[in-house]
Structure formats: structure tokens, C-alpha cells
Amino acid sequence: YRPTVIFKSAVGGGESANWPILVNLYGADLKALSVHAIKLNERLAALPQFIDVKARVNLGNPEIRVAVDRPRAADLGVRVSDLAGALRLMVSGEDEITSFREGGERYPVKMRVRADQRNDVDAIGGLMVPSRDGGLVRVDNVARLQRGEGPTSIQRLDRQFAVGVSADLRPGYTLDAAVPVVREEIRKLDLPA
């Protein structure tokens, strides 16, 4: 695990422009990093120098996990990329499939299944995805779906997970005096090598 401490420049800017203190913990295990970030958050919040301390951890986001049976998908002519693209299109609704023009205005057209279907493992399993021969295959014919929890977003740096802890300074405390305190609190976490 490798911590870095970033602090705001006097002229502003930089990746921590909204926070005087931003600590990023890097490592291979997201859950372990989250535990350490929460501990650091608690330590900094208990100190008089800091206010608005926040660990950038959210592992409790409900999700549906899709475990693709690759040999079966290959037998049925379904590419994993096509399966992923179809699920992204139908479940997230982020992809623009076309546009509509009316009165000089252009409107993006997106497609998404209903909310009650997006939250139903059986409904998602029943969605159809394209195969190489031009046919359609049910998702649950090539993948196992199950409910779980995961992060809202995953930050990475140099192929490692990154979890941040940010803090603001209470009036009357200087950044020069606060940074060594943050470094000492990180040292007290006794992070693994």
C-alpha cells in the first residue's frame, strides 16, 4: 500500500482544488484500502485541525454480477464484448442509439429497460443478445447472474486501486502545520508493505 498526500497550492488548481488535504491510498485490495481509508477518516475527524473529513468509500452500492460462461458463449456464437455492450445499452441507458430532429433541435435517443426490469435478475437474464450467426441468445443461457454489492466507482492509478480521504482546515490552522499531522496519522495506520 502506498499513501500520497496532496495539498492545495496557494495559487489554486491541481487535482485537489476543492480540498486543502487529499490523501490517496493505493494498493491491490479495494476492500482493505477502504478499511484503512475509513480508519484514517476517523482519526482525522477526531483532530481539531480538520473539518469536513470524508473518505471516498462506497462499497455498498447494489449491483447485479454477470459471470459469463465463456465456453458456452463461444459455442452459441456470443462474444463477451457483444454481451457487455448489449447489457450496457439496455440496463444503463447511457448509449445514444440515434438522434431525433424537430424544429431545428436535435434530441439524443437512448434505450433502456424499465426500472422494475433493471432490478430483477430474472428479467435481465431473459434479455436477448446477438450471436455471430445473426440470431439471439438469452443472457441466462451464457451467463450466471446474482445480486451483490460493489463500489459506485473505482479509481485506479498505475493499475492499482486508489481510495481517497479529503479534509478541510478549521479556521486558525495552517496547511504547513496540518500536513505533518496527516502524515503521522497515515504512519499510525501501519499499512502493509
Side-chain angles (χ1 to χ4, degrees):
Y1 295 90
R2 184 167 46 95
T4 60
V5 180
I6 303 166
F7 50 91
K8 194 189 295 185
S9 137
V11 293
E15 92 181 62
S16 62
N18 295 326
W19 301 98
I21 304 270
L22 174 60
V23 176
N24 285 311
L25 302 177
Y26 302 102
D29 184 338
L30 183 59
K31 287 185 180 178
L33 284 174
S34 299
V35 168
H36 291 302
I38 290 168
K39 285 180 186 174
L40 180 61
N41 184 83
E42 291 168 354
R43 287 176 178 271
L44 295 182
L47 296 172
Q49 297 94 323
F50 307 106
I51 55 173
D52 297 330
V53 182
K54 180 169 170 96
R56 309 290 175 182
V57 174
N58 183 0
L59 296 176
N61 192 48
E63 65 182 14
I64 294 177
R65 296 185 180 134
V66 180
V68 179
D69 181 340
R70 290 175 185 269
R72 181 153 175 79
D75 288 347
L76 294 172
V78 176
R79 292 188 305 213
V80 174
S81 61
D82 291 340
L83 174 63
L87 287 173
R88 185 180 63 245
L89 174 69
M90 294 183 283
V91 177
S92 77
E94 294 175 4
D95 296 342
E96 182 177 327
I97 58 171
T98 188
S99 62
F100 172 74
R101 291 190 180 276
E102 181 181 47
E105 293 290 326
R106 179 188 165 277
Y107 300 97
V109 176
K110 299 179 179 185
M111 182 174 72
R112 189 177 193 188
V113 296
R114 293 189 324 258
D116 61 319
Q117 294 171 323
R118 290 191 306 267
N119 296 322
D120 183 353
V121 172
D122 293 331
I124 292 173
L127 294 173
M128 306 298 276
V129 295
S131 66
R132 279 192 301 265
D133 63 7
L136 294 173
V137 176
R138 284 176 56 111
V139 169
D140 57 11
N141 271 343
V142 294
R144 185 173 41 84
L145 290 85
Q146 67 183 98
R147 292 193 166 281
E149 291 185 342
T152 303
S153 65
I154 296 176
Q155 302 296 320
R156 291 183 185 270
L157 182 69
D158 295 333
R159 291 187 265 169
Q160 294 203 21
F161 294 115
V163 177
V165 177
S166 59
D168 206 346
L169 291 174
R170 196 176 298 277
Y173 290 93
T174 65
L175 188 58
D176 287 348
V179 169
V181 171
V182 173
R183 287 194 171 118
E184 178 60 19
E185 292 304 320
I186 291 170
R187 190 191 63 71
K188 288 178 185 175
L189 289 176
D190 195 27
L191 297 172

PDB file of all heavy atoms in Angstrom, residues 31-55:
ATOM      1  N   LYS A  31     -11.087  -3.589  -0.842  1.00  0.00           N
ATOM      2  CA  LYS A  31     -11.763  -3.666   0.454  1.00  0.00           C
ATOM      3  C   LYS A  31     -10.817  -3.281   1.588  1.00  0.00           C
ATOM      4  O   LYS A  31     -11.189  -2.543   2.502  1.00  0.00           O
ATOM      5  CB  LYS A  31     -12.347  -5.056   0.683  1.00  0.00           C
ATOM      6  CG  LYS A  31     -13.572  -5.319  -0.171  1.00  0.00           C
ATOM      7  CD  LYS A  31     -14.213  -6.642   0.153  1.00  0.00           C
ATOM      8  CE  LYS A  31     -15.430  -6.842  -0.751  1.00  0.00           C
ATOM      9  NZ  LYS A  31     -16.085  -8.114  -0.546  1.00  0.00           N
ATOM     10  N   ALA A  32      -9.574  -3.770   1.526  1.00  0.00           N
ATOM     11  CA  ALA A  32      -8.592  -3.426   2.565  1.00  0.00           C
ATOM     12  C   ALA A  32      -8.279  -1.930   2.531  1.00  0.00           C
ATOM     13  O   ALA A  32      -8.176  -1.286   3.577  1.00  0.00           O
ATOM     14  CB  ALA A  32      -7.313  -4.239   2.377  1.00  0.00           C
ATOM     15  N   LEU A  33      -8.144  -1.374   1.331  1.00  0.00           N
ATOM     16  CA  LEU A  33      -7.903   0.074   1.210  1.00  0.00           C
ATOM     17  C   LEU A  33      -9.054   0.860   1.830  1.00  0.00           C
ATOM     18  O   LEU A  33      -8.837   1.877   2.499  1.00  0.00           O
ATOM     19  CB  LEU A  33      -7.763   0.473  -0.260  1.00  0.00           C
ATOM     20  CG  LEU A  33      -6.453   0.130  -0.941  1.00  0.00           C
ATOM     21  CD1 LEU A  33      -6.550   0.458  -2.430  1.00  0.00           C
ATOM     22  CD2 LEU A  33      -5.294   0.869  -0.315  1.00  0.00           C
ATOM     23  N   SER A  34     -10.271   0.396   1.593  1.00  0.00           N
ATOM     24  CA  SER A  34     -11.442   1.088   2.128  1.00  0.00           C
ATOM     25  C   SER A  34     -11.438   1.067   3.648  1.00  0.00           C
ATOM     26  O   SER A  34     -11.768   2.062   4.295  1.00  0.00           O
ATOM     27  CB  SER A  34     -12.722   0.451   1.590  1.00  0.00           C
ATOM     28  OG  SER A  34     -12.764   0.564   0.187  1.00  0.00           O
ATOM     29  N   VAL A  35     -11.051  -0.062   4.240  1.00  0.00           N
ATOM     30  CA  VAL A  35     -10.961  -0.167   5.705  1.00  0.00           C
ATOM     31  C   VAL A  35      -9.941   0.837   6.239  1.00  0.00           C
ATOM     32  O   VAL A  35     -10.198   1.567   7.201  1.00  0.00           O
ATOM     33  CB  VAL A  35     -10.597  -1.612   6.133  1.00  0.00           C
ATOM     34  CG1 VAL A  35     -10.203  -1.665   7.603  1.00  0.00           C
ATOM     35  CG2 VAL A  35     -11.750  -2.553   5.847  1.00  0.00           C
ATOM     36  N   HIS A  36      -8.776   0.911   5.583  1.00  0.00           N
ATOM     37  CA  HIS A  36      -7.740   1.857   6.021  1.00  0.00           C
ATOM     38  C   HIS A  36      -8.198   3.305   5.828  1.00  0.00           C
ATOM     39  O   HIS A  36      -7.916   4.172   6.672  1.00  0.00           O
ATOM     40  CB  HIS A  36      -6.435   1.615   5.264  1.00  0.00           C
ATOM     41  CG  HIS A  36      -5.762   0.328   5.621  1.00  0.00           C
ATOM     42  ND1 HIS A  36      -5.381   0.011   6.909  1.00  0.00           N
ATOM     43  CD2 HIS A  36      -5.408  -0.743   4.870  1.00  0.00           C
ATOM     44  CE1 HIS A  36      -4.816  -1.183   6.930  1.00  0.00           C
ATOM     45  NE2 HIS A  36      -4.834  -1.670   5.699  1.00  0.00           N
ATOM     46  N   ALA A  37      -8.893   3.582   4.726  1.00  0.00           N
ATOM     47  CA  ALA A  37      -9.382   4.943   4.478  1.00  0.00           C
ATOM     48  C   ALA A  37     -10.400   5.353   5.538  1.00  0.00           C
ATOM     49  O   ALA A  37     -10.389   6.494   6.015  1.00  0.00           O
ATOM     50  CB  ALA A  37      -9.996   5.034   3.083  1.00  0.00           C
ATOM     51  N   ILE A  38     -11.273   4.438   5.942  1.00  0.00           N
ATOM     52  CA  ILE A  38     -12.260   4.742   6.976  1.00  0.00           C
ATOM     53  C   ILE A  38     -11.560   4.994   8.312  1.00  0.00           C
ATOM     54  O   ILE A  38     -11.924   5.915   9.052  1.00  0.00           O
ATOM     55  CB  ILE A  38     -13.303   3.613   7.074  1.00  0.00           C
ATOM     56  CG1 ILE A  38     -14.181   3.628   5.816  1.00  0.00           C
ATOM     57  CG2 ILE A  38     -14.136   3.731   8.336  1.00  0.00           C
ATOM     58  CD1 ILE A  38     -15.045   2.409   5.637  1.00  0.00           C
ATOM     59  N   LYS A  39     -10.523   4.204   8.620  1.00  0.00           N
ATOM     60  CA  LYS A  39      -9.761   4.435   9.858  1.00  0.00           C
ATOM     61  C   LYS A  39      -9.088   5.812   9.828  1.00  0.00           C
ATOM     62  O   LYS A  39      -9.118   6.540  10.818  1.00  0.00           O
ATOM     63  CB  LYS A  39      -8.693   3.354  10.040  1.00  0.00           C
ATOM     64  CG  LYS A  39      -9.230   2.026  10.489  1.00  0.00           C
ATOM     65  CD  LYS A  39      -8.098   1.024  10.654  1.00  0.00           C
ATOM     66  CE  LYS A  39      -8.607  -0.368  10.969  1.00  0.00           C
ATOM     67  NZ  LYS A  39      -7.550  -1.367  10.982  1.00  0.00           N
ATOM     68  N   LEU A  40      -8.475   6.154   8.687  1.00  0.00           N
ATOM     69  CA  LEU A  40      -7.824   7.465   8.576  1.00  0.00           C
ATOM     70  C   LEU A  40      -8.869   8.573   8.694  1.00  0.00           C
ATOM     71  O   LEU A  40      -8.630   9.594   9.342  1.00  0.00           O
ATOM     72  CB  LEU A  40      -7.069   7.568   7.250  1.00  0.00           C
ATOM     73  CG  LEU A  40      -6.345   8.891   7.012  1.00  0.00           C
ATOM     74  CD1 LEU A  40      -5.281   9.145   8.092  1.00  0.00           C
ATOM     75  CD2 LEU A  40      -5.706   8.913   5.622  1.00  0.00           C
ATOM     76  N   ASN A  41     -10.018   8.369   8.102  1.00  0.00           N
ATOM     77  CA  ASN A  41     -11.108   9.341   8.183  1.00  0.00           C
ATOM     78  C   ASN A  41     -11.491   9.582   9.646  1.00  0.00           C
ATOM     79  O   ASN A  41     -11.631  10.735  10.079  1.00  0.00           O
ATOM     80  CB  ASN A  41     -12.307   8.803   7.397  1.00  0.00           C
ATOM     81  CG  ASN A  41     -13.446   9.783   7.346  1.00  0.00           C
ATOM     82  OD1 ASN A  41     -13.460  10.668   6.520  1.00  0.00           O
ATOM     83  ND2 ASN A  41     -14.418   9.619   8.236  1.00  0.00           N
ATOM     84  N   GLU A  42     -11.626   8.510  10.417  1.00  0.00           N
ATOM     85  CA  GLU A  42     -11.990   8.639  11.826  1.00  0.00           C
ATOM     86  C   GLU A  42     -10.909   9.361  12.613  1.00  0.00           C
ATOM     87  O   GLU A  42     -11.204  10.199  13.468  1.00  0.00           O
ATOM     88  CB  GLU A  42     -12.242   7.252  12.432  1.00  0.00           C
ATOM     89  CG  GLU A  42     -13.488   6.574  11.890  1.00  0.00           C
ATOM     90  CD  GLU A  42     -13.592   5.099  12.254  1.00  0.00           C
ATOM     91  OE1 GLU A  42     -12.627   4.543  12.851  1.00  0.00           O
ATOM     92  OE2 GLU A  42     -14.631   4.493  11.926  1.00  0.00           O
ATOM     93  N   ARG A  43      -9.640   9.051  12.324  1.00  0.00           N
ATOM     94  CA  ARG A  43      -8.531   9.690  13.044  1.00  0.00           C
ATOM     95  C   ARG A  43      -8.482  11.195  12.766  1.00  0.00           C
ATOM     96  O   ARG A  43      -8.324  11.997  13.681  1.00  0.00           O
ATOM     97  CB  ARG A  43      -7.196   9.059  12.638  1.00  0.00           C
ATOM     98  CG  ARG A  43      -6.974   7.673  13.196  1.00  0.00           C
ATOM     99  CD  ARG A  43      -5.656   7.120  12.644  1.00  0.00           C
ATOM    100  NE  ARG A  43      -5.351   5.816  13.157  1.00  0.00           N
ATOM    101  CZ  ARG A  43      -4.660   5.592  14.268  1.00  0.00           C
ATOM    102  NH1 ARG A  43      -4.211   6.586  14.977  1.00  0.00           N
ATOM    103  NH2 ARG A  43      -4.424   4.362  14.649  1.00  0.00           N
ATOM    104  N   LEU A  44      -8.606  11.562  11.474  1.00  0.00           N
ATOM    105  CA  LEU A  44      -8.535  12.984  11.124  1.00  0.00           C
ATOM    106  C   LEU A  44      -9.742  13.747  11.649  1.00  0.00           C
ATOM    107  O   LEU A  44      -9.621  14.888  12.098  1.00  0.00           O
ATOM    108  CB  LEU A  44      -8.416  13.157   9.610  1.00  0.00           C
ATOM    109  CG  LEU A  44      -7.133  12.629   8.958  1.00  0.00           C
ATOM    110  CD1 LEU A  44      -7.135  12.907   7.464  1.00  0.00           C
ATOM    111  CD2 LEU A  44      -5.887  13.210   9.612  1.00  0.00           C
ATOM    112  N   ALA A  45     -10.925  13.120  11.595  1.00  0.00           N
ATOM    113  CA  ALA A  45     -12.142  13.789  12.075  1.00  0.00           C
ATOM    114  C   ALA A  45     -12.074  14.077  13.569  1.00  0.00           C
ATOM    115  O   ALA A  45     -12.711  15.017  14.057  1.00  0.00           O
ATOM    116  CB  ALA A  45     -13.363  12.936  11.748  1.00  0.00           C
ATOM    117  N   ALA A  46     -11.296  13.271  14.311  1.00  0.00           N
ATOM    118  CA  ALA A  46     -11.180  13.460  15.763  1.00  0.00           C
ATOM    119  C   ALA A  46     -10.182  14.562  16.134  1.00  0.00           C
ATOM    120  O   ALA A  46     -10.133  14.968  17.289  1.00  0.00           O
ATOM    121  CB  ALA A  46     -10.770  12.142  16.423  1.00  0.00           C
ATOM    122  N   LEU A  47      -9.406  15.041  15.169  1.00  0.00           N
ATOM    123  CA  LEU A  47      -8.404  16.054  15.457  1.00  0.00           C
ATOM    124  C   LEU A  47      -8.978  17.460  15.282  1.00  0.00           C
ATOM    125  O   LEU A  47      -9.842  17.680  14.424  1.00  0.00           O
ATOM    126  CB  LEU A  47      -7.187  15.865  14.540  1.00  0.00           C
ATOM    127  CG  LEU A  47      -6.430  14.544  14.746  1.00  0.00           C
ATOM    128  CD1 LEU A  47      -5.369  14.378  13.667  1.00  0.00           C
ATOM    129  CD2 LEU A  47      -5.814  14.507  16.137  1.00  0.00           C
ATOM    130  N   PRO A  48      -8.474  18.425  16.054  1.00  0.00           N
ATOM    131  CA  PRO A  48      -9.055  19.778  15.994  1.00  0.00           C
ATOM    132  C   PRO A  48      -8.720  20.547  14.706  1.00  0.00           C
ATOM    133  O   PRO A  48      -9.423  21.493  14.361  1.00  0.00           O
ATOM    134  CB  PRO A  48      -8.441  20.479  17.211  1.00  0.00           C
ATOM    135  CG  PRO A  48      -7.167  19.733  17.473  1.00  0.00           C
ATOM    136  CD  PRO A  48      -7.431  18.319  17.074  1.00  0.00           C
ATOM    137  N   GLN A  49      -7.689  20.152  13.985  1.00  0.00           N
ATOM    138  CA  GLN A  49      -7.267  20.894  12.795  1.00  0.00           C
ATOM    139  C   GLN A  49      -8.223  20.742  11.612  1.00  0.00           C
ATOM    140  O   GLN A  49      -8.239  21.578  10.718  1.00  0.00           O
ATOM    141  CB  GLN A  49      -5.880  20.432  12.308  1.00  0.00           C
ATOM    142  CG  GLN A  49      -4.756  20.657  13.263  1.00  0.00           C
ATOM    143  CD  GLN A  49      -4.498  19.429  14.126  1.00  0.00           C
ATOM    144  OE1 GLN A  49      -5.422  18.738  14.526  1.00  0.00           O
ATOM    145  NE2 GLN A  49      -3.239  19.179  14.445  1.00  0.00           N
ATOM    146  N   PHE A  50      -8.996  19.658  11.587  1.00  0.00           N
ATOM    147  CA  PHE A  50      -9.711  19.298  10.364  1.00  0.00           C
ATOM    148  C   PHE A  50     -11.223  19.342  10.532  1.00  0.00           C
ATOM    149  O   PHE A  50     -11.767  19.015  11.586  1.00  0.00           O
ATOM    150  CB  PHE A  50      -9.294  17.889   9.922  1.00  0.00           C
ATOM    151  CG  PHE A  50      -7.807  17.742   9.798  1.00  0.00           C
ATOM    152  CD1 PHE A  50      -7.080  17.026  10.739  1.00  0.00           C
ATOM    153  CD2 PHE A  50      -7.113  18.343   8.756  1.00  0.00           C
ATOM    154  CE1 PHE A  50      -5.708  16.906  10.631  1.00  0.00           C
ATOM    155  CE2 PHE A  50      -5.747  18.228   8.656  1.00  0.00           C
ATOM    156  CZ  PHE A  50      -5.031  17.513   9.597  1.00  0.00           C
ATOM    157  N   ILE A  51     -11.884  19.753   9.452  1.00  0.00           N
ATOM    158  CA  ILE A  51     -13.344  19.700   9.373  1.00  0.00           C
ATOM    159  C   ILE A  51     -13.714  19.091   8.015  1.00  0.00           C
ATOM    160  O   ILE A  51     -12.887  19.023   7.104  1.00  0.00           O
ATOM    161  CB  ILE A  51     -14.007  21.093   9.528  1.00  0.00           C
ATOM    162  CG1 ILE A  51     -13.442  22.086   8.508  1.00  0.00           C
ATOM    163  CG2 ILE A  51     -13.861  21.615  10.928  1.00  0.00           C
ATOM    164  CD1 ILE A  51     -14.147  23.424   8.488  1.00  0.00           C
ATOM    165  N   ASP A  52     -14.941  18.675   7.901  1.00  0.00           N
ATOM    166  CA  ASP A  52     -15.455  18.106   6.642  1.00  0.00           C
ATOM    167  C   ASP A  52     -14.561  16.983   6.117  1.00  0.00           C
ATOM    168  O   ASP A  52     -14.235  16.929   4.933  1.00  0.00           O
ATOM    169  CB  ASP A  52     -15.616  19.188   5.565  1.00  0.00           C
ATOM    170  CG  ASP A  52     -16.632  20.239   5.947  1.00  0.00           C
ATOM    171  OD1 ASP A  52     -17.577  19.895   6.678  1.00  0.00           O
ATOM    172  OD2 ASP A  52     -16.484  21.393   5.527  1.00  0.00           O
ATOM    173  N   VAL A  53     -14.159  16.094   7.008  1.00  0.00           N
ATOM    174  CA  VAL A  53     -13.323  14.967   6.600  1.00  0.00           C
ATOM    175  C   VAL A  53     -14.230  13.931   5.934  1.00  0.00           C
ATOM    176  O   VAL A  53     -15.303  13.628   6.444  1.00  0.00           O
ATOM    177  CB  VAL A  53     -12.600  14.346   7.817  1.00  0.00           C
ATOM    178  CG1 VAL A  53     -11.698  13.207   7.377  1.00  0.00           C
ATOM    179  CG2 VAL A  53     -11.805  15.412   8.560  1.00  0.00           C
ATOM    180  N   LYS A  54     -13.780  13.426   4.793  1.00  0.00           N
ATOM    181  CA  LYS A  54     -14.627  12.475   4.058  1.00  0.00           C
ATOM    182  C   LYS A  54     -13.769  11.426   3.386  1.00  0.00           C
ATOM    183  O   LYS A  54     -12.880  11.745   2.604  1.00  0.00           O
ATOM    184  CB  LYS A  54     -15.444  13.213   3.012  1.00  0.00           C
ATOM    185  CG  LYS A  54     -16.342  12.293   2.214  1.00  0.00           C
ATOM    186  CD  LYS A  54     -17.315  13.067   1.375  1.00  0.00           C
ATOM    187  CE  LYS A  54     -18.022  12.185   0.418  1.00  0.00           C
ATOM    188  NZ  LYS A  54     -19.233  11.671   0.699  1.00  0.00           N
ATOM    189  N   ALA A  55     -14.050  10.151   3.699  1.00  0.00           N
ATOM    190  CA  ALA A  55     -13.412   9.039   2.994  1.00  0.00           C
ATOM    191  C   ALA A  55     -14.212   8.783   1.726  1.00  0.00           C
ATOM    192  O   ALA A  55     -15.434   8.709   1.761  1.00  0.00           O
ATOM    193  CB  ALA A  55     -13.395   7.793   3.876  1.00  0.00           C
TER     194      ALA A  55
END
